[in-house]
Short mmCIF file of all heavy atoms in Angstrom, two decimals:
data_model
loop_
_atom_site.label_atom_id
_atom_site.label_comp_id
_atom_site.label_asym_id
_atom_site.label_seq_id
_atom_site.Cartn_x
_atom_site.Cartn_y
_atom_site.Cartn_z
N MET A 1 0.84 -1.17 0.00
CA MET A 1 0.00 0.00 0.00
C MET A 1 0.89 1.24 0.00
O MET A 1 1.91 1.27 0.67
CB MET A 1 -0.89 -0.02 1.22
CG MET A 1 -2.07 0.90 1.10
SD MET A 1 -3.30 0.59 2.39
CE MET A 1 -4.20 -0.74 1.64
N SER A 2 0.51 2.27 -0.71
CA SER A 2 1.34 3.46 -0.83
C SER A 2 1.25 4.34 0.41
O SER A 2 0.32 4.24 1.20
CB SER A 2 0.90 4.28 -2.05
OG SER A 2 -0.30 4.97 -1.78
N LYS A 3 2.23 5.21 0.56
CA LYS A 3 2.23 6.15 1.69
C LYS A 3 1.11 7.18 1.55
O LYS A 3 0.80 7.88 2.49
CB LYS A 3 3.57 6.84 1.78
CG LYS A 3 4.68 5.92 2.16
CD LYS A 3 5.51 6.57 3.21
CE LYS A 3 6.63 5.65 3.59
NZ LYS A 3 6.68 5.40 4.98
N ASP A 4 0.50 7.27 0.37
CA ASP A 4 -0.57 8.23 0.14
C ASP A 4 -1.93 7.67 0.56
O ASP A 4 -2.95 8.28 0.31
CB ASP A 4 -0.63 8.62 -1.33
CG ASP A 4 0.63 9.35 -1.76
OD1 ASP A 4 1.26 9.99 -0.91
OD2 ASP A 4 0.98 9.26 -2.94
N SER A 5 -1.93 6.52 1.20
CA SER A 5 -3.18 5.89 1.61
C SER A 5 -3.98 6.82 2.51
O SER A 5 -3.43 7.50 3.36
CB SER A 5 -2.90 4.59 2.35
OG SER A 5 -4.10 4.07 2.85
N LYS A 6 -5.27 6.80 2.34
CA LYS A 6 -6.15 7.64 3.15
C LYS A 6 -6.91 6.82 4.17
O LYS A 6 -7.81 7.31 4.82
CB LYS A 6 -7.12 8.38 2.23
CG LYS A 6 -6.46 9.18 1.15
CD LYS A 6 -6.63 10.65 1.36
CE LYS A 6 -6.15 11.48 0.20
NZ LYS A 6 -4.78 11.53 -0.05
N ASP A 7 -6.53 5.56 4.33
CA ASP A 7 -7.20 4.69 5.30
C ASP A 7 -6.79 5.07 6.71
O ASP A 7 -5.60 5.16 7.03
CB ASP A 7 -6.83 3.23 5.07
CG ASP A 7 -7.41 2.66 3.79
OD1 ASP A 7 -8.35 3.27 3.25
OD2 ASP A 7 -6.91 1.63 3.33
N VAL A 8 -7.77 5.28 7.55
CA VAL A 8 -7.55 5.60 8.96
C VAL A 8 -8.39 4.66 9.79
O VAL A 8 -9.56 4.45 9.50
CB VAL A 8 -7.94 7.07 9.28
CG1 VAL A 8 -7.79 7.35 10.77
CG2 VAL A 8 -7.12 8.04 8.46
N VAL A 9 -7.78 4.10 10.83
CA VAL A 9 -8.49 3.23 11.75
C VAL A 9 -8.44 3.89 13.12
O VAL A 9 -7.37 4.26 13.61
CB VAL A 9 -7.83 1.83 11.84
CG1 VAL A 9 -8.54 0.96 12.85
CG2 VAL A 9 -7.84 1.17 10.48
N VAL A 10 -9.60 4.07 13.76
CA VAL A 10 -9.68 4.62 15.10
C VAL A 10 -10.02 3.48 16.04
O VAL A 10 -11.03 2.81 15.86
CB VAL A 10 -10.75 5.74 15.18
CG1 VAL A 10 -10.85 6.28 16.60
CG2 VAL A 10 -10.44 6.85 14.19
N VAL A 11 -9.15 3.27 17.03
CA VAL A 11 -9.36 2.20 18.01
C VAL A 11 -9.60 2.85 19.36
O VAL A 11 -8.75 3.59 19.87
CB VAL A 11 -8.14 1.25 18.08
CG1 VAL A 11 -8.38 0.16 19.11
CG2 VAL A 11 -7.85 0.66 16.71
N ILE A 12 -10.77 2.59 19.92
CA ILE A 12 -11.11 3.12 21.24
C ILE A 12 -10.74 2.04 22.26
O ILE A 12 -11.28 0.94 22.23
CB ILE A 12 -12.62 3.44 21.35
CG1 ILE A 12 -13.09 4.32 20.20
CG2 ILE A 12 -12.93 4.06 22.70
CD1 ILE A 12 -12.43 5.66 20.11
N GLY A 13 -9.82 2.37 23.12
CA GLY A 13 -9.32 1.41 24.10
C GLY A 13 -7.92 1.00 23.72
O GLY A 13 -7.74 0.22 22.80
N ALA A 14 -6.92 1.57 24.39
CA ALA A 14 -5.53 1.34 24.03
C ALA A 14 -4.89 0.24 24.87
O ALA A 14 -3.69 0.06 24.84
CB ALA A 14 -4.73 2.63 24.17
N GLY A 15 -5.72 -0.50 25.60
CA GLY A 15 -5.21 -1.60 26.42
C GLY A 15 -5.06 -2.86 25.60
O GLY A 15 -4.92 -2.82 24.38
N GLY A 16 -5.10 -4.00 26.24
CA GLY A 16 -4.83 -5.30 25.63
C GLY A 16 -5.54 -5.57 24.32
O GLY A 16 -4.92 -5.72 23.27
N ILE A 17 -6.87 -5.65 24.34
CA ILE A 17 -7.62 -5.99 23.13
C ILE A 17 -7.53 -4.88 22.09
O ILE A 17 -7.32 -5.14 20.91
CB ILE A 17 -9.08 -6.32 23.46
CG1 ILE A 17 -9.15 -7.61 24.29
CG2 ILE A 17 -9.93 -6.43 22.20
CD1 ILE A 17 -10.53 -7.93 24.82
N GLY A 18 -7.65 -3.63 22.52
CA GLY A 18 -7.56 -2.51 21.59
C GLY A 18 -6.22 -2.44 20.90
O GLY A 18 -6.13 -2.21 19.69
N LEU A 19 -5.16 -2.68 21.65
CA LEU A 19 -3.82 -2.66 21.07
C LEU A 19 -3.63 -3.82 20.10
O LEU A 19 -3.03 -3.66 19.04
CB LEU A 19 -2.76 -2.70 22.17
CG LEU A 19 -1.34 -2.38 21.76
CD1 LEU A 19 -1.25 -1.03 21.05
CD2 LEU A 19 -0.43 -2.40 22.97
N ALA A 20 -4.18 -4.98 20.44
CA ALA A 20 -4.10 -6.14 19.54
C ALA A 20 -4.84 -5.85 18.24
O ALA A 20 -4.36 -6.19 17.15
CB ALA A 20 -4.68 -7.37 20.22
N ILE A 21 -5.99 -5.21 18.32
CA ILE A 21 -6.75 -4.84 17.12
C ILE A 21 -5.93 -3.85 16.29
O ILE A 21 -5.84 -3.98 15.07
CB ILE A 21 -8.12 -4.27 17.49
CG1 ILE A 21 -9.01 -5.37 18.07
CG2 ILE A 21 -8.78 -3.60 16.28
CD1 ILE A 21 -10.29 -4.85 18.71
N ALA A 22 -5.36 -2.87 16.95
CA ALA A 22 -4.55 -1.86 16.23
C ALA A 22 -3.40 -2.53 15.48
O ALA A 22 -3.14 -2.22 14.32
CB ALA A 22 -4.02 -0.82 17.22
N ARG A 23 -2.71 -3.46 16.14
CA ARG A 23 -1.61 -4.16 15.48
C ARG A 23 -2.11 -4.97 14.29
O ARG A 23 -1.48 -5.02 13.24
CB ARG A 23 -0.90 -5.09 16.46
CG ARG A 23 0.01 -4.38 17.41
CD ARG A 23 0.94 -5.35 18.11
NE ARG A 23 0.24 -6.41 18.81
CZ ARG A 23 0.01 -6.44 20.11
NH1 ARG A 23 0.44 -5.46 20.87
NH2 ARG A 23 -0.62 -7.45 20.66
N ARG A 24 -3.26 -5.58 14.44
CA ARG A 24 -3.81 -6.45 13.40
C ARG A 24 -4.20 -5.68 12.14
O ARG A 24 -4.02 -6.17 11.03
CB ARG A 24 -5.03 -7.18 13.98
CG ARG A 24 -5.73 -8.09 13.07
CD ARG A 24 -4.96 -9.37 12.92
NE ARG A 24 -5.70 -10.27 12.04
CZ ARG A 24 -5.66 -11.55 12.12
NH1 ARG A 24 -4.92 -12.13 13.03
NH2 ARG A 24 -6.35 -12.27 11.29
N VAL A 25 -4.73 -4.47 12.29
CA VAL A 25 -5.26 -3.73 11.14
C VAL A 25 -4.35 -2.59 10.69
O VAL A 25 -4.68 -1.86 9.77
CB VAL A 25 -6.67 -3.15 11.45
CG1 VAL A 25 -7.64 -4.26 11.78
CG2 VAL A 25 -6.62 -2.12 12.56
N ALA A 26 -3.17 -2.44 11.29
CA ALA A 26 -2.32 -1.27 11.05
C ALA A 26 -1.65 -1.23 9.68
O ALA A 26 -1.34 -0.14 9.19
CB ALA A 26 -1.25 -1.18 12.13
N ALA A 27 -1.41 -2.34 9.07
CA ALA A 27 -0.61 -2.37 7.84
C ALA A 27 -1.14 -1.40 6.79
O ALA A 27 -2.26 -1.53 6.30
CB ALA A 27 -0.58 -3.78 7.27
N GLY A 28 -0.33 -0.38 6.46
CA GLY A 28 -0.67 0.56 5.41
C GLY A 28 -1.72 1.60 5.81
O GLY A 28 -2.22 2.31 4.96
N ARG A 29 -2.04 1.66 7.10
CA ARG A 29 -3.08 2.59 7.55
C ARG A 29 -2.55 3.50 8.65
O ARG A 29 -1.60 3.17 9.34
CB ARG A 29 -4.27 1.80 8.10
CG ARG A 29 -4.95 0.95 7.07
CD ARG A 29 -6.06 0.14 7.72
NE ARG A 29 -6.77 -0.65 6.71
CZ ARG A 29 -6.48 -1.91 6.43
NH1 ARG A 29 -5.51 -2.54 7.06
NH2 ARG A 29 -7.17 -2.54 5.51
N THR A 30 -3.20 4.61 8.81
CA THR A 30 -2.95 5.47 9.96
C THR A 30 -3.83 4.95 11.08
O THR A 30 -5.03 4.75 10.89
CB THR A 30 -3.31 6.93 9.64
OG1 THR A 30 -2.48 7.37 8.57
CG2 THR A 30 -3.12 7.82 10.85
N VAL A 31 -3.24 4.73 12.25
CA VAL A 31 -3.99 4.22 13.40
C VAL A 31 -4.07 5.29 14.47
O VAL A 31 -3.05 5.88 14.84
CB VAL A 31 -3.33 2.95 13.98
CG1 VAL A 31 -4.08 2.47 15.21
CG2 VAL A 31 -3.28 1.86 12.92
N VAL A 32 -5.28 5.55 14.95
CA VAL A 32 -5.50 6.49 16.03
C VAL A 32 -5.97 5.69 17.23
O VAL A 32 -6.98 5.00 17.17
CB VAL A 32 -6.58 7.54 15.65
CG1 VAL A 32 -6.84 8.48 16.82
CG2 VAL A 32 -6.16 8.31 14.42
N LEU A 33 -5.19 5.75 18.32
CA LEU A 33 -5.58 5.10 19.57
C LEU A 33 -6.23 6.13 20.48
O LEU A 33 -5.74 7.26 20.59
CB LEU A 33 -4.34 4.53 20.29
CG LEU A 33 -3.68 3.31 19.69
CD1 LEU A 33 -2.39 3.01 20.46
CD2 LEU A 33 -4.60 2.12 19.73
N ALA A 34 -7.29 5.73 21.15
CA ALA A 34 -7.96 6.61 22.11
C ALA A 34 -8.29 5.80 23.36
O ALA A 34 -8.61 4.61 23.27
CB ALA A 34 -9.23 7.18 21.51
N ASP A 35 -8.19 6.42 24.50
CA ASP A 35 -8.51 5.76 25.76
C ASP A 35 -8.85 6.83 26.78
O ASP A 35 -8.31 7.94 26.71
CB ASP A 35 -7.33 4.91 26.24
CG ASP A 35 -7.75 3.86 27.24
OD1 ASP A 35 -8.09 4.22 28.39
OD2 ASP A 35 -7.76 2.68 26.86
N HIS A 36 -9.71 6.52 27.73
CA HIS A 36 -10.07 7.50 28.76
C HIS A 36 -8.95 7.67 29.77
O HIS A 36 -8.88 8.67 30.47
CB HIS A 36 -11.37 7.12 29.46
CG HIS A 36 -11.29 5.82 30.22
ND1 HIS A 36 -10.87 5.77 31.51
CD2 HIS A 36 -11.55 4.55 29.85
CE1 HIS A 36 -10.88 4.51 31.92
NE2 HIS A 36 -11.29 3.75 30.92
N SER A 37 -8.04 6.70 29.83
CA SER A 37 -6.92 6.76 30.76
C SER A 37 -5.66 7.19 30.03
O SER A 37 -5.18 6.48 29.13
CB SER A 37 -6.69 5.38 31.40
OG SER A 37 -5.46 5.35 32.10
N GLU A 38 -5.13 8.32 30.42
CA GLU A 38 -3.90 8.81 29.79
C GLU A 38 -2.74 7.84 30.02
O GLU A 38 -1.91 7.65 29.14
CB GLU A 38 -3.55 10.19 30.33
CG GLU A 38 -2.48 10.90 29.54
CD GLU A 38 -2.29 12.33 29.95
OE1 GLU A 38 -3.26 12.96 30.41
OE2 GLU A 38 -1.16 12.82 29.82
N LYS A 39 -2.71 7.20 31.17
CA LYS A 39 -1.65 6.24 31.49
C LYS A 39 -1.70 5.03 30.55
O LYS A 39 -0.68 4.61 30.01
CB LYS A 39 -1.81 5.79 32.94
CG LYS A 39 -0.74 4.87 33.43
CD LYS A 39 -0.97 4.55 34.90
CE LYS A 39 0.06 3.59 35.43
NZ LYS A 39 -0.18 3.28 36.85
N VAL A 40 -2.89 4.48 30.34
CA VAL A 40 -3.06 3.34 29.44
C VAL A 40 -2.74 3.75 28.01
O VAL A 40 -2.09 3.01 27.26
CB VAL A 40 -4.48 2.75 29.54
CG1 VAL A 40 -4.73 1.70 28.48
CG2 VAL A 40 -4.72 2.16 30.93
N LEU A 41 -3.19 4.94 27.62
CA LEU A 41 -2.93 5.44 26.28
C LEU A 41 -1.43 5.58 26.02
O LEU A 41 -0.93 5.15 24.98
CB LEU A 41 -3.63 6.78 26.06
CG LEU A 41 -3.49 7.39 24.69
CD1 LEU A 41 -4.06 6.47 23.62
CD2 LEU A 41 -4.20 8.74 24.65
N GLU A 42 -0.70 6.12 26.96
CA GLU A 42 0.75 6.28 26.80
C GLU A 42 1.44 4.92 26.72
O GLU A 42 2.33 4.71 25.91
CB GLU A 42 1.34 7.12 27.93
CG GLU A 42 2.84 7.30 27.86
CD GLU A 42 3.33 7.96 26.58
OE1 GLU A 42 2.57 8.66 25.90
OE2 GLU A 42 4.51 7.74 26.22
N ARG A 43 1.01 3.98 27.56
CA ARG A 43 1.58 2.63 27.51
C ARG A 43 1.31 1.99 26.14
O ARG A 43 2.18 1.36 25.56
CB ARG A 43 0.96 1.78 28.62
CG ARG A 43 1.92 0.80 29.20
CD ARG A 43 1.36 0.02 30.37
NE ARG A 43 0.65 0.83 31.33
CZ ARG A 43 -0.44 0.45 31.99
NH1 ARG A 43 -0.95 -0.72 31.79
NH2 ARG A 43 -1.02 1.26 32.84
N GLY A 44 0.09 2.16 25.64
CA GLY A 44 -0.27 1.63 24.33
C GLY A 44 0.52 2.27 23.21
O GLY A 44 0.96 1.62 22.28
N ARG A 45 0.73 3.58 23.31
CA ARG A 45 1.50 4.30 22.30
C ARG A 45 2.94 3.79 22.26
O ARG A 45 3.49 3.52 21.19
CB ARG A 45 1.50 5.80 22.58
CG ARG A 45 2.20 6.60 21.48
CD ARG A 45 2.64 7.97 21.95
NE ARG A 45 3.63 7.91 23.00
CZ ARG A 45 4.94 7.67 22.81
NH1 ARG A 45 5.40 7.40 21.61
NH2 ARG A 45 5.78 7.66 23.82
N ARG A 46 3.55 3.61 23.43
CA ARG A 46 4.93 3.10 23.49
C ARG A 46 5.01 1.69 22.92
O ARG A 46 5.93 1.37 22.18
CB ARG A 46 5.46 3.15 24.92
CG ARG A 46 5.86 4.54 25.37
CD ARG A 46 6.66 4.48 26.64
NE ARG A 46 6.06 3.65 27.67
CZ ARG A 46 5.38 4.08 28.72
NH1 ARG A 46 5.24 5.37 28.91
NH2 ARG A 46 4.86 3.25 29.58
N ALA A 47 4.05 0.85 23.29
CA ALA A 47 4.06 -0.54 22.80
C ALA A 47 3.89 -0.57 21.28
O ALA A 47 4.57 -1.33 20.59
CB ALA A 47 2.95 -1.34 23.47
N ALA A 48 3.00 0.26 20.76
CA ALA A 48 2.77 0.30 19.32
C ALA A 48 4.01 0.80 18.58
O ALA A 48 4.41 0.24 17.56
CB ALA A 48 1.56 1.18 18.99
N ALA A 49 4.63 1.84 19.11
CA ALA A 49 5.84 2.39 18.48
C ALA A 49 6.97 1.36 18.50
O ALA A 49 7.71 1.22 17.54
CB ALA A 49 6.26 3.66 19.19
N HIS A 50 7.07 0.63 19.60
CA HIS A 50 8.13 -0.39 19.73
C HIS A 50 7.95 -1.50 18.71
O HIS A 50 8.92 -2.05 18.20
CB HIS A 50 8.11 -0.96 21.15
CG HIS A 50 9.09 -2.05 21.39
ND1 HIS A 50 10.46 -1.80 21.46
CD2 HIS A 50 8.94 -3.38 21.54
CE1 HIS A 50 11.08 -2.95 21.65
NE2 HIS A 50 10.19 -3.92 21.71
N ARG A 51 6.70 -1.82 18.39
CA ARG A 51 6.40 -2.90 17.44
C ARG A 51 6.26 -2.38 16.01
O ARG A 51 5.92 -3.13 15.10
CB ARG A 51 5.13 -3.61 17.86
CG ARG A 51 5.30 -4.41 19.13
CD ARG A 51 4.01 -5.09 19.51
NE ARG A 51 4.18 -5.95 20.64
CZ ARG A 51 3.95 -5.59 21.90
NH1 ARG A 51 3.54 -4.36 22.17
NH2 ARG A 51 4.12 -6.44 22.88
N GLY A 52 6.46 -1.09 15.81
CA GLY A 52 6.40 -0.54 14.46
C GLY A 52 5.00 -0.34 13.95
O GLY A 52 4.77 -0.33 12.74
N VAL A 53 4.05 -0.16 14.85
CA VAL A 53 2.65 0.06 14.43
C VAL A 53 2.44 1.53 14.23
O VAL A 53 2.90 2.36 14.92
CB VAL A 53 1.67 -0.48 15.48
CG1 VAL A 53 0.24 -0.13 15.15
CG2 VAL A 53 1.85 -1.97 15.63
#
C-alpha cells in the first residue's frame, strides 16, 4: 500500500484488546488510539511504536 493511503483506523481502548486490534489492522493505515486513561494510552503508544505500528 502506498504512503498516500487515506485509510484511517480509530481504536477506542488502548489496552490489551484494543492494542491487539490496532496491530492487526495497522498495515498501510494510519492508526488512532484513544482511551479514557492517559496512562493506558501512553503505555499503548509506546508498545505500538516499539512494534512498528
Side-chain angles (χ1 to χ4, degrees):
M1 198 168 276
S2 76
K3 292 226 180 234
D4 296 332
S5 174
K6 305 248 188 291
D7 292 342
V8 176
V9 177
V10 178
V11 180
I12 309 298
I17 293 173
L19 193 55
I21 291 169
R23 283 195 304 259
R24 179 77 179 210
V25 300
R29 296 176 177 95
T30 298
V31 177
V32 178
L33 288 173
D35 200 290
H36 63 88
S37 168
E38 192 171 331
K39 184 177 178 180
V40 172
L41 182 60
E42 178 58 23
R43 215 176 315 143
R45 185 201 63 79
R46 283 193 312 258
H50 177 71
R51 291 180 174 94
V53 174

